[in-house]
Amino acid sequence: MTDFRSVSFDLRVSYRQAYLVDDTDDAMGPDDLLRDHPTHPVGIIRVADGCAFLITGLHTGTVGFSVTVADHDLGADIDGYEDIVEISFESEAGRVSVHEWGCEKFHELPELSAGPGWYRLRYHAKNMDEAAEVDTSNEIIDHYLLQIWPESESVPRVVKSTSGTLAHWRRPR
């Protein structure tokens, strides 16, 4: 039997940024979050100390955002998205939320299915190049799906890469 819960919302971004934050995290360390994995770069999602840095194509405005929390891997939506990457994430609280830039507004998510522990984050992106070209918009251009399920820590990986935006963020800095 599959157990999963999904939520969707309009997400306001600034500087192409949003954050997945563990409920025990007191402060985000932006320096750590700016670094991609040194040997397995995935570009558009980075994790450090109970926080994931989510990069969008749109610089400033509103993006479509969905999150699915499941008890196991539901599989990637290969046909529905242009870019898909995965990375491990440790939750101390077993609860996370998505924060808009500046952390003044956040979106509550369903409780993580296995409580505290290791999870896999699969970040799907669609229309990143189009949104990056527009730069600023309150009309939704790019869409994102974040899947979260329990899984032991493992190396990050790129599942699908088609956009120039993902290629840009994967380049060594």
Side-chain angles (χ1 to χ4, degrees), residues 149-162:
W149 71 94
E151 185 172 296
S152 299
E153 183 179 18
S154 59
V155 297
R157 75 181 189 114
V158 175
V159 176
K160 182 179 179 183
S161 175
T162 62

Side-chain angles (χ1 to χ4, degrees), residues 12-70:
R12 182 91 182 142
V13 297
S14 296
Y15 304 102
R16 296 182 169 81
Q17 298 176 27
Y19 310 92
L20 178 74
V21 180
D22 188 74
D23 282 1
T24 61
D25 194 36
D26 295 327
M28 292 180 283
D31 291 339
D32 289 342
L33 288 173
L34 295 179
R35 290 189 209 69
D36 204 350
H37 193 279
T39 56
H40 296 85
V42 292
I44 58 174
I45 187 169
R46 290 113 190 259
V47 298
D49 299 326
C51 186
F53 178 43
L54 307 165
I55 298 171
T56 64
L58 191 68
H59 182 279
T60 305
T62 304
V63 303
F65 207 90
S66 297
V67 179
T68 298
V69 176

Side-chain angles (χ1 to χ4, degrees), residues 7 12 16 29 49 54 58 76 82 104 109 126-127 143-144 148 153 158 164:
V7 295
R12 182 91 182 142
R16 296 182 169 81
D49 299 326
L54 307 165
L58 191 68
E82 298 162 348
E104 292 178 17
L109 301 180
K126 178 170 46 176
N127 298 334
H143 298 267
Y144 301 88
I148 307 171
E153 183 179 18
V158 175

